[in-house]
Amino acid sequence: MAEAHQAVGFRPSLTSDGAEVELSAPVLQEIYLSGLRSWKRHLARFWNDFLTGVLPASPLSWLFLFGAIQLAWFLQLDPSLGLMEKIKELLPDWGGQHHRLRGVLAAALFASCLWGALIFTLHVALRLLLSYHGWLLEPHGAMSSPTKTWLALVRIFSGRNPMLFSYQRSLPRQPVPSVQDTVRKYLESVRPILSDEDFDLTSVLAQEFLRLQASLLQWYLRLKSWWASNYVSDWWEEFVYLRSRHSLMVNSNYYMMDFLYVTPTPVQAARAGNAVHALLLYRHRLNRQEILPTLLMGMRPLCSAQYEKIFNTTRIPGIQKDHIRHLRDSRHVAVFHRGRFYRVGTHSQSGLLSPRALEQQFQRILDDPSPACPQEEHLAALTAAPRDVWAQVRSSLKTQAEDTLEAVEGAAFFVSLDSEPAGLTREDPAATLDAYAHALLAGRGHDRWFDKSFTLIVFSNGKLGLSVEHSWADCPISGHMWEFTLATECFQLGYSADGHCKGHPDPSLPQPQRLHWDLPEKIHLSISLALRGAKTLSGNVDCHVFPFSHFGKSFIRRCHLSSDSFIQMALQLAHFRDRGQFCLTYESTMTRLFLEGRTETVRSCTREACNFVRAMEDKEKTEPQRRAMFRLAVEKHQALLKAAMSGQGVDRHLFALYIVSQFLHLQSPFLDQVHSEQWQLATSQIPVQQIHLFDVHNYPDYVSSGGGFGPADDHGYGVSYIFMGDDTITFHISSKKSSTKTDSHRLGQHIEDALLDVACLFQEGPRPKLRCRGLQEEDSGHRHGSLPCHTGGSRAPTKSTNL
């Protein structure tokens, strides 16, 4: 999501003030260290890897094999062909009475070696099978005989009941594409937006790059791909995120919203109690690897490495480079309310605190009348400051208030109890929804700890939201956690009739610990400057959120079209109507088909898309002609999407080539030009990954409304969208108020019009009128009814507030 801004702002050779940063380490040394980091990560989780790494076999299979060998030996058969006798000879001689023990040990050693060899063979076979991507390139709904055979073999070799990390050993490594193919695809992607003169110049630079530097840079990348787990992901994390000196707020973080039309309870402390408990349940399942790995087509596993850093993680600022600090465990959360910080324990001697006990603790914080100490109220604005500034101040803060800082940075996550309400209201739905998005993205600049992996935000009327730091993982990971949280706190934990968490308070619990900061005088000015900068940055962001409810995924599916491609082509039409020109378009897609894969860019502004847009604006074109051009544009977009997912994208390869060139001090005008491009339209789809947790047909309002991120360019837009059930698409648009070229609300209207115009190509009758589901009920503001039960039992009615 927000990675587009970071990718655009990435300048590995520059600091925030423009001074040169010398990448003096030899490239071979950097490649060696990259691989060393990969191996250290693998060794750190050796035990869990052992427990899950025997898949598709199981630990019990060793006992079966050992028993079979013992039975054969009892029947005077030697399945080892003499190897066990040789093993017995190598074992120490403990005397005649231990002769039988030596035989058992020899059988156990032989069984272990044979078992390990079989598992290794299964892993190699599964890795070879998972390296096949032909299924991605086939038309939707059609499956060739090779793909059917491949699916059958994957099913055989995948085993049963996998755990979260069971497939990590079997995932293939991300391939390094052909540099000639990458350059060709790049030139094809920029042709629609460049003049003939500019395109000819770019082509000359590209040919010069292929002739002079490409082969050397490519050689280093291939070397890294053989040694490290992934040839691009660690450099992507370091140079795009951790070396960025910009503020995290708006530039890097993104947000996730609550249910759009309903709030399960208006009691702020109760909603916080259930949500925190649900998040900690998710962490418990994560630690036990009970979360099922994500499988495409129900068969092809995705990499699960990013799940490791969801909790107990903080991005620590540095002068030139941040680093990610991840703790193995944390038994408290840090809470912010009205300028005060608290440490709230999440466990007692008997285990995880109940939702009602957590509600009690949060209510104690809300009822605490003590004021914030001087400068304490705005301290968190430092986490929204430029990273080098925050790093300098943090060193002073750590000296004076080390324990308090550790309580915040060492928390499982950060909780902000806001004093204001948020969410959709009947009186002014558009403005309140936009304000809700802005509050999640930026807040007031001083009420989020932007360094934490995520901040849970609970508003005074019970609305929820997340603000997520981006460097540790991508949106599908936090989205998976958020889906579980919403479903669990609403459907499984539930609320009593008066809106409180179920259960009883625990009067024996100690009061939440108020954290006190001993702030030195010299950082007071830094806090004031950081707050001023945060307010300026926050005030410059224009957020617009709207649910498009005339049609959704079901209608697009009936047109036999890809839902994502449908939206992307409509966005091209909307942006052209908004700006009168085409631009580079950034669409994020995942590369988690590969070990430690993260994301790749789909360059959605293609020649076919531009032809379709021109046809829509040409009154002489007929509907059949427009429809034919639309299908061509969708097919092209699908081809690019599938190529990116299978490791054959453009941008990550060019990025890695650029990093190598910086290490080698090789100047490439072509690579410099590539990384000076501006993405004026950055887009992302938020996937719904656990539809089984929600009953979207009977309770369509109980679905997350997605989230959004800041614009990637000062004169551009950030657009994310989510398919809410089958009949609603929610869009989140952002831009800069300082730009005279952009307006989030104007683009939103163009998107609505473009969607309807495109839909009219595939249905008969007049252009339909927009309607907004959820704003037409005539009730007085409350909904009552039984919520769907996902545990198999009956469920009492749960009170929900409408809007």
mmCIF file with all atom_site columns, all heavy atoms in Angstrom, residues 41-59:
data_model
loop_
_atom_site.group_PDB
_atom_site.id
_atom_site.type_symbol
_atom_site.label_atom_id
_atom_site.label_alt_id
_atom_site.label_comp_id
_atom_site.label_asym_id
_atom_site.label_entity_id
_atom_site.label_seq_id
_atom_site.pdbx_PDB_ins_code
_atom_site.Cartn_x
_atom_site.Cartn_y
_atom_site.Cartn_z
_atom_site.occupancy
_atom_site.B_iso_or_equiv
_atom_site.pdbx_formal_charge
_atom_site.auth_seq_id
_atom_site.auth_comp_id
_atom_site.auth_asym_id
_atom_site.auth_atom_id
_atom_site.pdbx_PDB_model_num
ATOM 1   N N   . ARG A 1 41 ? 18.714 -15.974 10.465 1.00 0.00 ? 41 ARG A N   1
ATOM 2   C CA  . ARG A 1 41 ? 17.267 -16.042 10.709 1.00 0.00 ? 41 ARG A CA  1
ATOM 3   C C   . ARG A 1 41 ? 16.791 -17.484 10.725 1.00 0.00 ? 41 ARG A C   1
ATOM 4   O O   . ARG A 1 41 ? 15.952 -17.871 11.538 1.00 0.00 ? 41 ARG A O   1
ATOM 5   C CB  . ARG A 1 41 ? 16.518 -15.241 9.644  1.00 0.00 ? 41 ARG A CB  1
ATOM 6   C CG  . ARG A 1 41 ? 16.634 -13.733 9.796  1.00 0.00 ? 41 ARG A CG  1
ATOM 7   C CD  . ARG A 1 41 ? 15.580 -13.023 8.965  1.00 0.00 ? 41 ARG A CD  1
ATOM 8   N NE  . ARG A 1 41 ? 15.715 -13.312 7.549  1.00 0.00 ? 41 ARG A NE  1
ATOM 9   C CZ  . ARG A 1 41 ? 16.472 -12.615 6.718  1.00 0.00 ? 41 ARG A CZ  1
ATOM 10  N NH1 . ARG A 1 41 ? 17.182 -11.583 7.166  1.00 0.00 ? 41 ARG A NH1 1
ATOM 11  N NH2 . ARG A 1 41 ? 16.538 -12.921 5.427  1.00 0.00 ? 41 ARG A NH2 1
ATOM 12  N N   . HIS A 1 42 ? 17.342 -18.290 9.802  1.00 0.00 ? 42 HIS A N   1
ATOM 13  C CA  . HIS A 1 42 ? 16.928 -19.693 9.759  1.00 0.00 ? 42 HIS A CA  1
ATOM 14  C C   . HIS A 1 42 ? 17.367 -20.436 11.029 1.00 0.00 ? 42 HIS A C   1
ATOM 15  O O   . HIS A 1 42 ? 16.617 -21.241 11.580 1.00 0.00 ? 42 HIS A O   1
ATOM 16  C CB  . HIS A 1 42 ? 17.509 -20.379 8.526  1.00 0.00 ? 42 HIS A CB  1
ATOM 17  C CG  . HIS A 1 42 ? 16.954 -19.858 7.236  1.00 0.00 ? 42 HIS A CG  1
ATOM 18  N ND1 . HIS A 1 42 ? 15.617 -19.585 7.061  1.00 0.00 ? 42 HIS A ND1 1
ATOM 19  C CD2 . HIS A 1 42 ? 17.552 -19.549 6.060  1.00 0.00 ? 42 HIS A CD2 1
ATOM 20  C CE1 . HIS A 1 42 ? 15.415 -19.136 5.836  1.00 0.00 ? 42 HIS A CE1 1
ATOM 21  N NE2 . HIS A 1 42 ? 16.563 -19.098 5.213  1.00 0.00 ? 42 HIS A NE2 1
ATOM 22  N N   . LEU A 1 43 ? 18.589 -20.168 11.512 1.00 0.00 ? 43 LEU A N   1
ATOM 23  C CA  . LEU A 1 43 ? 19.070 -20.848 12.702 1.00 0.00 ? 43 LEU A CA  1
ATOM 24  C C   . LEU A 1 43 ? 18.296 -20.429 13.939 1.00 0.00 ? 43 LEU A C   1
ATOM 25  O O   . LEU A 1 43 ? 18.063 -21.231 14.847 1.00 0.00 ? 43 LEU A O   1
ATOM 26  C CB  . LEU A 1 43 ? 20.567 -20.556 12.893 1.00 0.00 ? 43 LEU A CB  1
ATOM 27  C CG  . LEU A 1 43 ? 21.504 -21.210 11.864 1.00 0.00 ? 43 LEU A CG  1
ATOM 28  C CD1 . LEU A 1 43 ? 22.934 -20.731 12.080 1.00 0.00 ? 43 LEU A CD1 1
ATOM 29  C CD2 . LEU A 1 43 ? 21.439 -22.732 11.959 1.00 0.00 ? 43 LEU A CD2 1
ATOM 30  N N   . ALA A 1 44 ? 17.876 -19.146 13.978 1.00 0.00 ? 44 ALA A N   1
ATOM 31  C CA  . ALA A 1 44 ? 17.147 -18.648 15.143 1.00 0.00 ? 44 ALA A CA  1
ATOM 32  C C   . ALA A 1 44 ? 15.820 -19.361 15.330 1.00 0.00 ? 44 ALA A C   1
ATOM 33  O O   . ALA A 1 44 ? 15.317 -19.477 16.447 1.00 0.00 ? 44 ALA A O   1
ATOM 34  C CB  . ALA A 1 44 ? 16.931 -17.142 15.016 1.00 0.00 ? 44 ALA A CB  1
ATOM 35  N N   . ARG A 1 45 ? 15.227 -19.810 14.238 1.00 0.00 ? 45 ARG A N   1
ATOM 36  C CA  . ARG A 1 45 ? 13.949 -20.505 14.377 1.00 0.00 ? 45 ARG A CA  1
ATOM 37  C C   . ARG A 1 45 ? 14.099 -21.993 14.025 1.00 0.00 ? 45 ARG A C   1
ATOM 38  O O   . ARG A 1 45 ? 13.203 -22.617 13.476 1.00 0.00 ? 45 ARG A O   1
ATOM 39  C CB  . ARG A 1 45 ? 12.888 -19.845 13.507 1.00 0.00 ? 45 ARG A CB  1
ATOM 40  C CG  . ARG A 1 45 ? 13.238 -19.645 12.054 1.00 0.00 ? 45 ARG A CG  1
ATOM 41  C CD  . ARG A 1 45 ? 12.075 -19.011 11.295 1.00 0.00 ? 45 ARG A CD  1
ATOM 42  N NE  . ARG A 1 45 ? 12.274 -19.128 9.867  1.00 0.00 ? 45 ARG A NE  1
ATOM 43  C CZ  . ARG A 1 45 ? 12.574 -18.122 9.063  1.00 0.00 ? 45 ARG A CZ  1
ATOM 44  N NH1 . ARG A 1 45 ? 12.696 -16.909 9.548  1.00 0.00 ? 45 ARG A NH1 1
ATOM 45  N NH2 . ARG A 1 45 ? 12.741 -18.309 7.782  1.00 0.00 ? 45 ARG A NH2 1
ATOM 46  N N   . PHE A 1 46 ? 15.281 -22.538 14.393 1.00 0.00 ? 46 PHE A N   1
ATOM 47  C CA  . PHE A 1 46 ? 15.581 -23.929 14.046 1.00 0.00 ? 46 PHE A CA  1
ATOM 48  C C   . PHE A 1 46 ? 14.567 -24.894 14.650 1.00 0.00 ? 46 PHE A C   1
ATOM 49  O O   . PHE A 1 46 ? 14.103 -25.819 13.985 1.00 0.00 ? 46 PHE A O   1
ATOM 50  C CB  . PHE A 1 46 ? 16.993 -24.286 14.523 1.00 0.00 ? 46 PHE A CB  1
ATOM 51  C CG  . PHE A 1 46 ? 17.317 -25.752 14.381 1.00 0.00 ? 46 PHE A CG  1
ATOM 52  C CD1 . PHE A 1 46 ? 17.665 -26.270 13.144 1.00 0.00 ? 46 PHE A CD1 1
ATOM 53  C CD2 . PHE A 1 46 ? 17.253 -26.607 15.471 1.00 0.00 ? 46 PHE A CD2 1
ATOM 54  C CE1 . PHE A 1 46 ? 17.961 -27.619 13.008 1.00 0.00 ? 46 PHE A CE1 1
ATOM 55  C CE2 . PHE A 1 46 ? 17.540 -27.952 15.335 1.00 0.00 ? 46 PHE A CE2 1
ATOM 56  C CZ  . PHE A 1 46 ? 17.896 -28.460 14.103 1.00 0.00 ? 46 PHE A CZ  1
ATOM 57  N N   . TRP A 1 47 ? 14.225 -24.653 15.932 1.00 0.00 ? 47 TRP A N   1
ATOM 58  C CA  . TRP A 1 47 ? 13.341 -25.614 16.598 1.00 0.00 ? 47 TRP A CA  1
ATOM 59  C C   . TRP A 1 47 ? 11.969 -25.648 15.945 1.00 0.00 ? 47 TRP A C   1
ATOM 60  O O   . TRP A 1 47 ? 11.423 -26.726 15.686 1.00 0.00 ? 47 TRP A O   1
ATOM 61  C CB  . TRP A 1 47 ? 13.232 -25.293 18.077 1.00 0.00 ? 47 TRP A CB  1
ATOM 62  C CG  . TRP A 1 47 ? 12.311 -26.224 18.816 1.00 0.00 ? 47 TRP A CG  1
ATOM 63  C CD1 . TRP A 1 47 ? 11.158 -25.922 19.450 1.00 0.00 ? 47 TRP A CD1 1
ATOM 64  C CD2 . TRP A 1 47 ? 12.481 -27.641 18.975 1.00 0.00 ? 47 TRP A CD2 1
ATOM 65  N NE1 . TRP A 1 47 ? 10.595 -27.031 19.994 1.00 0.00 ? 47 TRP A NE1 1
ATOM 66  C CE2 . TRP A 1 47 ? 11.392 -28.114 19.725 1.00 0.00 ? 47 TRP A CE2 1
ATOM 67  C CE3 . TRP A 1 47 ? 13.449 -28.550 18.568 1.00 0.00 ? 47 TRP A CE3 1
ATOM 68  C CZ2 . TRP A 1 47 ? 11.239 -29.447 20.064 1.00 0.00 ? 47 TRP A CZ2 1
ATOM 69  C CZ3 . TRP A 1 47 ? 13.301 -29.888 18.919 1.00 0.00 ? 47 TRP A CZ3 1
ATOM 70  C CH2 . TRP A 1 47 ? 12.205 -30.316 19.653 1.00 0.00 ? 47 TRP A CH2 1
ATOM 71  N N   . ASN A 1 48 ? 11.410 -24.465 15.695 1.00 0.00 ? 48 ASN A N   1
ATOM 72  C CA  . ASN A 1 48 ? 10.111 -24.435 15.020 1.00 0.00 ? 48 ASN A CA  1
ATOM 73  C C   . ASN A 1 48 ? 10.219 -25.021 13.616 1.00 0.00 ? 48 ASN A C   1
ATOM 74  O O   . ASN A 1 48 ? 9.299  -25.675 13.137 1.00 0.00 ? 48 ASN A O   1
ATOM 75  C CB  . ASN A 1 48 ? 9.578  -23.006 14.942 1.00 0.00 ? 48 ASN A CB  1
ATOM 76  C CG  . ASN A 1 48 ? 8.925  -22.573 16.241 1.00 0.00 ? 48 ASN A CG  1
ATOM 77  O OD1 . ASN A 1 48 ? 8.581  -23.413 17.061 1.00 0.00 ? 48 ASN A OD1 1
ATOM 78  N ND2 . ASN A 1 48 ? 8.780  -21.281 16.432 1.00 0.00 ? 48 ASN A ND2 1
ATOM 79  N N   . ASP A 1 49 ? 11.332 -24.745 12.964 1.00 0.00 ? 49 ASP A N   1
ATOM 80  C CA  . ASP A 1 49 ? 11.523 -25.322 11.630 1.00 0.00 ? 49 ASP A CA  1
ATOM 81  C C   . ASP A 1 49 ? 11.556 -26.849 11.696 1.00 0.00 ? 49 ASP A C   1
ATOM 82  O O   . ASP A 1 49 ? 11.076 -27.536 10.784 1.00 0.00 ? 49 ASP A O   1
ATOM 83  C CB  . ASP A 1 49 ? 12.831 -24.809 11.013 1.00 0.00 ? 49 ASP A CB  1
ATOM 84  C CG  . ASP A 1 49 ? 12.660 -23.442 10.381 1.00 0.00 ? 49 ASP A CG  1
ATOM 85  O OD1 . ASP A 1 49 ? 11.513 -22.968 10.322 1.00 0.00 ? 49 ASP A OD1 1
ATOM 86  O OD2 . ASP A 1 49 ? 13.660 -22.854 9.961  1.00 0.00 ? 49 ASP A OD2 1
ATOM 87  N N   . PHE A 1 50 ? 12.129 -27.376 12.778 1.00 0.00 ? 50 PHE A N   1
ATOM 88  C CA  . PHE A 1 50 ? 12.169 -28.838 12.893 1.00 0.00 ? 50 PHE A CA  1
ATOM 89  C C   . PHE A 1 50 ? 10.766 -29.404 13.066 1.00 0.00 ? 50 PHE A C   1
ATOM 90  O O   . PHE A 1 50 ? 10.390 -30.401 12.446 1.00 0.00 ? 50 PHE A O   1
ATOM 91  C CB  . PHE A 1 50 ? 13.043 -29.252 14.071 1.00 0.00 ? 50 PHE A CB  1
ATOM 92  C CG  . PHE A 1 50 ? 12.953 -30.726 14.381 1.00 0.00 ? 50 PHE A CG  1
ATOM 93  C CD1 . PHE A 1 50 ? 13.605 -31.660 13.581 1.00 0.00 ? 50 PHE A CD1 1
ATOM 94  C CD2 . PHE A 1 50 ? 12.196 -31.180 15.446 1.00 0.00 ? 50 PHE A CD2 1
ATOM 95  C CE1 . PHE A 1 50 ? 13.497 -33.016 13.854 1.00 0.00 ? 50 PHE A CE1 1
ATOM 96  C CE2 . PHE A 1 50 ? 12.084 -32.534 15.721 1.00 0.00 ? 50 PHE A CE2 1
ATOM 97  C CZ  . PHE A 1 50 ? 12.747 -33.453 14.922 1.00 0.00 ? 50 PHE A CZ  1
ATOM 98  N N   . LEU A 1 51 ? 9.971  -28.727 13.902 1.00 0.00 ? 51 LEU A N   1
ATOM 99  C CA  . LEU A 1 51 ? 8.626  -29.231 14.170 1.00 0.00 ? 51 LEU A CA  1
ATOM 100 C C   . LEU A 1 51 ? 7.746  -29.182 12.929 1.00 0.00 ? 51 LEU A C   1
ATOM 101 O O   . LEU A 1 51 ? 6.911  -30.054 12.706 1.00 0.00 ? 51 LEU A O   1
ATOM 102 C CB  . LEU A 1 51 ? 7.980  -28.429 15.301 1.00 0.00 ? 51 LEU A CB  1
ATOM 103 C CG  . LEU A 1 51 ? 8.636  -28.580 16.683 1.00 0.00 ? 51 LEU A CG  1
ATOM 104 C CD1 . LEU A 1 51 ? 7.927  -27.681 17.686 1.00 0.00 ? 51 LEU A CD1 1
ATOM 105 C CD2 . LEU A 1 51 ? 8.599  -30.024 17.145 1.00 0.00 ? 51 LEU A CD2 1
ATOM 106 N N   . THR A 1 52 ? 7.919  -28.122 12.145 1.00 0.00 ? 52 THR A N   1
ATOM 107 C CA  . THR A 1 52 ? 7.067  -27.972 10.961 1.00 0.00 ? 52 THR A CA  1
ATOM 108 C C   . THR A 1 52 ? 7.755  -28.415 9.683  1.00 0.00 ? 52 THR A C   1
ATOM 109 O O   . THR A 1 52 ? 7.098  -28.660 8.682  1.00 0.00 ? 52 THR A O   1
ATOM 110 C CB  . THR A 1 52 ? 6.641  -26.510 10.802 1.00 0.00 ? 52 THR A CB  1
ATOM 111 O OG1 . THR A 1 52 ? 7.807  -25.697 10.626 1.00 0.00 ? 52 THR A OG1 1
ATOM 112 C CG2 . THR A 1 52 ? 5.877  -26.028 12.012 1.00 0.00 ? 52 THR A CG2 1
ATOM 113 N N   . GLY A 1 53 ? 9.082  -28.486 9.725  1.00 0.00 ? 53 GLY A N   1
ATOM 114 C CA  . GLY A 1 53 ? 9.821  -28.748 8.494  1.00 0.00 ? 53 GLY A CA  1
ATOM 115 C C   . GLY A 1 53 ? 9.779  -30.175 8.015  1.00 0.00 ? 53 GLY A C   1
ATOM 116 O O   . GLY A 1 53 ? 10.277 -30.461 6.913  1.00 0.00 ? 53 GLY A O   1
ATOM 117 N N   . VAL A 1 54 ? 9.245  -31.079 8.816  1.00 0.00 ? 54 VAL A N   1
ATOM 118 C CA  . VAL A 1 54 ? 9.176  -32.469 8.366  1.00 0.00 ? 54 VAL A CA  1
ATOM 119 C C   . VAL A 1 54 ? 7.977  -32.700 7.461  1.00 0.00 ? 54 VAL A C   1
ATOM 120 O O   . VAL A 1 54 ? 7.820  -33.775 6.897  1.00 0.00 ? 54 VAL A O   1
ATOM 121 C CB  . VAL A 1 54 ? 9.128  -33.444 9.564  1.00 0.00 ? 54 VAL A CB  1
ATOM 122 C CG1 . VAL A 1 54 ? 10.390 -33.318 10.393 1.00 0.00 ? 54 VAL A CG1 1
ATOM 123 C CG2 . VAL A 1 54 ? 7.898  -33.204 10.409 1.00 0.00 ? 54 VAL A CG2 1
ATOM 124 N N   . LEU A 1 55 ? 7.107  -31.662 7.334  1.00 0.00 ? 55 LEU A N   1
ATOM 125 C CA  . LEU A 1 55 ? 5.982  -31.804 6.405  1.00 0.00 ? 55 LEU A CA  1
ATOM 126 C C   . LEU A 1 55 ? 6.525  -32.068 4.994  1.00 0.00 ? 55 LEU A C   1
ATOM 127 O O   . LEU A 1 55 ? 7.501  -31.441 4.605  1.00 0.00 ? 55 LEU A O   1
ATOM 128 C CB  . LEU A 1 55 ? 5.153  -30.517 6.411  1.00 0.00 ? 55 LEU A CB  1
ATOM 129 C CG  . LEU A 1 55 ? 3.767  -30.632 5.805  1.00 0.00 ? 55 LEU A CG  1
ATOM 130 C CD1 . LEU A 1 55 ? 2.802  -31.139 6.836  1.00 0.00 ? 55 LEU A CD1 1
ATOM 131 C CD2 . LEU A 1 55 ? 3.308  -29.308 5.255  1.00 0.00 ? 55 LEU A CD2 1
ATOM 132 N N   . PRO A 1 56 ? 5.968  -32.933 4.197  1.00 0.00 ? 56 PRO A N   1
ATOM 133 C CA  . PRO A 1 56 ? 4.671  -33.597 4.342  1.00 0.00 ? 56 PRO A CA  1
ATOM 134 C C   . PRO A 1 56 ? 4.672  -34.845 5.219  1.00 0.00 ? 56 PRO A C   1
ATOM 135 O O   . PRO A 1 56 ? 3.634  -35.467 5.364  1.00 0.00 ? 56 PRO A O   1
ATOM 136 C CB  . PRO A 1 56 ? 4.318  -33.961 2.903  1.00 0.00 ? 56 PRO A CB  1
ATOM 137 C CG  . PRO A 1 56 ? 5.638  -34.138 2.245  1.00 0.00 ? 56 PRO A CG  1
ATOM 138 C CD  . PRO A 1 56 ? 6.561  -33.144 2.871  1.00 0.00 ? 56 PRO A CD  1
ATOM 139 N N   . ALA A 1 57 ? 5.830  -35.208 5.778  1.00 0.00 ? 57 ALA A N   1
ATOM 140 C CA  . ALA A 1 57 ? 5.834  -36.301 6.749  1.00 0.00 ? 57 ALA A CA  1
ATOM 141 C C   . ALA A 1 57 ? 5.428  -35.734 8.108  1.00 0.00 ? 57 ALA A C   1
ATOM 142 O O   . ALA A 1 57 ? 5.134  -34.554 8.242  1.00 0.00 ? 57 ALA A O   1
ATOM 143 C CB  . ALA A 1 57 ? 7.221  -36.932 6.815  1.00 0.00 ? 57 ALA A CB  1
ATOM 144 N N   . SER A 1 58 ? 5.415  -36.587 9.125  1.00 0.00 ? 58 SER A N   1
ATOM 145 C CA  . SER A 1 58 ? 5.118  -36.155 10.486 1.00 0.00 ? 58 SER A CA  1
ATOM 146 C C   . SER A 1 58 ? 6.085  -36.868 11.414 1.00 0.00 ? 58 SER A C   1
ATOM 147 O O   . SER A 1 58 ? 6.668  -37.893 11.049 1.00 0.00 ? 58 SER A O   1
ATOM 148 C CB  . SER A 1 58 ? 3.673  -36.504 10.852 1.00 0.00 ? 58 SER A CB  1
ATOM 149 O OG  . SER A 1 58 ? 3.531  -37.916 10.943 1.00 0.00 ? 58 SER A OG  1
ATOM 150 N N   . PRO A 1 59 ? 6.316  -36.325 12.627 1.00 0.00 ? 59 PRO A N   1
ATOM 151 C CA  . PRO A 1 59 ? 7.196  -37.018 13.571 1.00 0.00 ? 59 PRO A CA  1
ATOM 152 C C   . PRO A 1 59 ? 6.784  -38.462 13.826 1.00 0.00 ? 59 PRO A C   1
ATOM 153 O O   . PRO A 1 59 ? 7.628  -39.320 14.064 1.00 0.00 ? 59 PRO A O   1
ATOM 154 C CB  . PRO A 1 59 ? 7.093  -36.154 14.840 1.00 0.00 ? 59 PRO A CB  1
ATOM 155 C CG  . PRO A 1 59 ? 6.748  -34.795 14.342 1.00 0.00 ? 59 PRO A CG  1
ATOM 156 C CD  . PRO A 1 59 ? 5.859  -35.024 13.149 1.00 0.00 ? 59 PRO A CD  1
#
